[in-house]
Amino acid sequence: MNRIVAVLLLLLAGASAQAAGLDAFLARHWADPLPPQGEPPPGYSPLEARLDPEACAACHRAQWEAWKGSRHARAMGPGVLGQLLTFAPEAAAACRRCHAPLAEQDPAAGPAAERLQRQGLVCAACHVRAHVRYGPPPRRDPDARGPVGSSGPHGGFVATPAFEQSAFCSVCHQFGPDGYALEGKPLENTVEEWRTSDWAAKGVQCQGCHMPEREHLWRGIHDPDTVARAVTVDVDFQEASARRVRATITVRNTGTGHHFPTYVTPKVFLRAVLVDAAGRALGETLQEAVIGREVTPDLSAEVYDTRIPAGEAFAALYDAPRPAGVAALQVWLTVDPDHFYRRFFESLLPQMPDGEPQTLIALALDETRRAPFDVLRRQIPLPPPAAPGGD
Ligand code: HEC
Ligand code: HEC
Ligand code: HEC
Ligand code: HEC
Ligand code: HEC
């Protein structure tokens, strides 16, 4: 009995020492600001000394192919850069913290740094400190790869389980206790939302959904297939008489490890319309409900929050008179990933100085206009009208 307690205490001590080790590693790894890498070690070839993603691509082709199509590679897109060009250095540095965090991406360090800044969240920002590579423990063959100091490329690497944990993503995807909040909820609360979900209880980390098989794709709200897997939609008819159609439409967050959607920037429109046998919309029967967190453009107040926490559901009532020739109820989601930013860029554009800032914000605005897409479109044949006089 005493032995069991002792073993338990040891296990607990082991677990908390591991957690403390992880916290200490992450605090160092994501120091604010990140210190410059310094001089490369004497044995490094010019290729090994480089920090740009194309240098890594020479040997890590698969990660580079995936990364360059990801939002992380576009983290210094026109909407961010257009603003940064008009900011004082200190304000721009605060944004670079998440969008281009290396000291070697500070444009004050010269033209090479200014080019690297434009590449956004580069490989080295997550993987390289003082020219040493850090990564997750090798998956298949733990002995196949050299530890740091070995003779392999870039002198080996340091393996740490921190890369496999949600905590690795926190520095940019979770505001701390001092971070900006409305109604007691931080504007960025993704890791907290995850921590209190069943996914966390089951041990599914951010990487489990956003980097399956360690792929560097980070697909999210901008990707139709990812959103289609995020939720399930059910339709339950209360009435389908000759006069009216009434149905409860339920959207359940079955595949997202946090609120659907997690940020204040996207909006998801649940839409339904009555259609004829050819699928044509009939009369004024289009109805919609909004899923999202609406804040005022100046971020001073929350207007509403209808986001769906992980495992929970959102229900809307469809209720319309039944026009002649109706065959089905069509239901779908329209996803507007940059809903907030479109309005924001619209109001920002007239204030932008001529030249590159204005061109970039115009480009960013155009991208937000082209971003919306439809998913999960279904046609549910209407049950025949109930017999007249029936209840
Ligand atoms: C000359 C080839 C070469 C270049 C250039 C190179 N690497 Fe590597 N890297 C390797 C090899 C070989 C390994 C050993 C692991 C393996 O077999 O994949 C490795 C291992 C790693 C690991 C550890 C993988 C793990 O399992 O945790 C990381 C992370 C990494 N490199 C990142 C980078 C980054 C970031 C760059 C660019 C800044 C880079 N490497 C440039 C060849 C290279
Ligand atoms: C946002 C941070 C981030 C960026 C940017 C990033 N990685 Fe990674 N990388 C990770 C994480 C996290 C893992 C571990 C994922 C896991 O274990 O599920 C990883 C894993 C790896 C591995 C080990 C893969 C394996 O199969 O074992 C290599 C190699 C690697 N990254 C190289 C790169 C290269 C090259 C780039 C740029 C083209 C890059 N990474 C960009 C976070 C990042
Ligand atoms: C704590 C990390 C963090 C900081 C600091 C930060 N951002 Fe972001 N930013 C994010 C994340 C995460 C997203 C993606 C989430 C989303 O789409 O809303 C994002 C998205 C954006 C976008 C929309 C995507 C795009 O490429 O157009 C813009 C614009 C933007 N940020 C600008 C800024 C500016 C300007 C600053 C500095 C005032 C800043 N950010 C500071 C994390 C951060
Ligand atoms: C169970 C799978 C799953 C887990 C775990 C998960 N996500 Fe997601 N995530 C999704 C899906 C699906 C979407 C697309 C739907 C959406 O936007 O909610 C998404 C969307 C996102 C977005 C897009 C922005 C937005 O407003 O929704 C970000 C950023 C994100 N996830 C970050 C994270 C981070 C950080 C973690 C870890 C704390 C995490 N995710 C854990 C499945 C997951
Ligand atoms: C250094 C900061 C940083 C780290 C670390 C980081 N991210 Fe991001 N992430 C960002 C920024 C900034 C964006 C928005 C890029 C943009 O659109 O401008 C983003 C975008 C995303 C998106 C895309 C959402 C969409 O709009 O569809 C997902 C998903 C995501 N990150 C997941 C992760 C996961 C999972 C991790 C941890 C393995 C992680 N990120 C680590 C800064 C970071």
Side-chain angles (χ1 to χ4, degrees):
M1 163 94 160
N2 277 342
R3 244 183 51 208
I4 294 174
V5 171
V7 167
L8 209 76
L9 283 175
L10 263 176
L11 282 175
L12 285 172
S16 71
Q18 208 179 4
L22 191 87
D23 288 350
F25 170 80
L26 287 172
R28 271 197 316 277
H29 195 74
W30 290 116
D32 185 15
L34 292 181
Q37 306 280 342
E39 284 301 309
Y44 270 31
S45 67
L47 179 66
E48 290 164 320
R50 277 167 51 186
L51 296 171
D52 57 297
E54 288 67 35
C56 317
C59 305
H60 299 289
R61 187 90 200 169
Q63 285 79 14
W64 178 74
E65 289 283 356
W67 169 85
K68 73 182 160 64
S70 78
R71 302 288 301 183
H72 284 157
R74 304 202 61 247
M76 200 44 79
V80 185
L81 187 61
Q83 293 183 70
L84 261 56
L85 292 176
T86 68
F87 284 4
E90 221 167 82
C95 310
R96 277 206 316 279
R97 168 76 181 143
C98 296
H99 287 267
L102 291 176
E104 292 76 12
Q105 295 183 292
D106 179 350
E114 137 75 7
R115 277 195 305 275
L116 195 57
Q117 173 188 242
R118 288 180 187 240
Q119 294 198 277
L121 191 50
V122 294
C123 324
C126 288
H127 287 295
V128 185
R129 298 292 181 269
H131 287 286
V132 173
R133 271 38 167 199
Y134 293 81
R139 269 179 308 181
R140 293 185 190 87
D141 185 356
D143 300 322
R145 301 166 183 196
V148 81
S150 75
S151 56
H154 46 66
F157 62 92
V158 179
T160 158
F163 278 80
E164 299 174 299
Q165 302 291 317
S166 291
F168 187 84
C169 319
S170 277
V171 62
C172 305
H173 288 283
Q174 174 70 44
F175 284 169
D178 316 328
Y180 195 74
L182 286 173
E183 309 280 329
K185 291 167 289 185
L187 272 201
E188 258 195 21
N189 205 25
T190 310
V191 185
E192 269 309 299
E193 292 164 3
W194 166 81
R195 213 176 48 76
T196 51
S197 75
D198 281 351
W199 296 100
K202 282 187 277 187
V204 180
Q205 313 288 312
C206 319
Q207 290 85 335
C209 294
H210 290 290
M211 303 183 75
E213 297 298 312
R214 292 188 173 169
E215 274 180 346
H216 281 50
L217 292 167
W218 297 287
R219 289 190 176 125
I221 190 82
H222 288 85
D223 179 59
D225 292 340
T226 303
V227 178
R229 282 195 302 269
V231 290
T232 41
V233 181
D234 291 304
V235 181
D236 182 25
F237 286 98
Q238 266 91 57
E239 180 180 350
S241 68
R243 290 179 303 111
R244 292 202 82 75
V245 176
R246 286 199 310 133
T248 304
I249 308 174
T250 309
V251 182
R252 212 172 290 282
N253 178 348
T254 45
T256 303
H258 36 72
H259 288 14
F260 172 79
T262 180
Y263 285 136
V264 296
T265 50
K267 286 279 175 349
V268 180
F269 299 90
L270 168 60
R271 291 186 167 146
V273 69
L274 292 170
V275 296
D276 65 14
R280 276 184 306 252
L282 288 169
E284 304 286 297
T285 63
L286 175 67
Q287 297 182 4
E288 72 175 28
V290 193
I291 304 169
R293 184 182 182 193
E294 173 77 354
V295 296
T296 54
D298 64 356
L299 304 181
S300 64
E302 177 180 295
V303 184
Y304 59 80
D305 185 358
T306 56
R307 293 172 304 159
I308 315 172
E312 294 184 21
F314 169 92
L317 182 69
Y318 182 86
D319 186 0
R322 182 171 185 156
V326 151
L329 180 67
Q330 197 176 90
V331 177
W332 74 100
L333 298 180
T334 296
V335 180
D336 190 348
D338 301 321
H339 185 267
F340 173 88
Y341 287 113
R342 184 164 56 250
R343 289 173 301 166
F344 178 69
F345 293 145
E346 268 163 6
S347 66
L348 195 62
L349 190 57
Q351 306 165 32
M352 280 284 128
D354 285 348
E356 203 180 7
Q358 200 176 79
T359 315
L360 288 172
I361 296 303
L363 197 64
L365 175 58
D366 190 51
E367 282 178 6
T368 64
R369 287 183 173 145
R370 284 184 284 111
F373 56 85
D374 292 343
V375 285
L376 296 170
R377 190 186 290 273
R378 295 194 7 225
Q379 206 128 290
I380 303 110
L382 281 183
D391 264 9

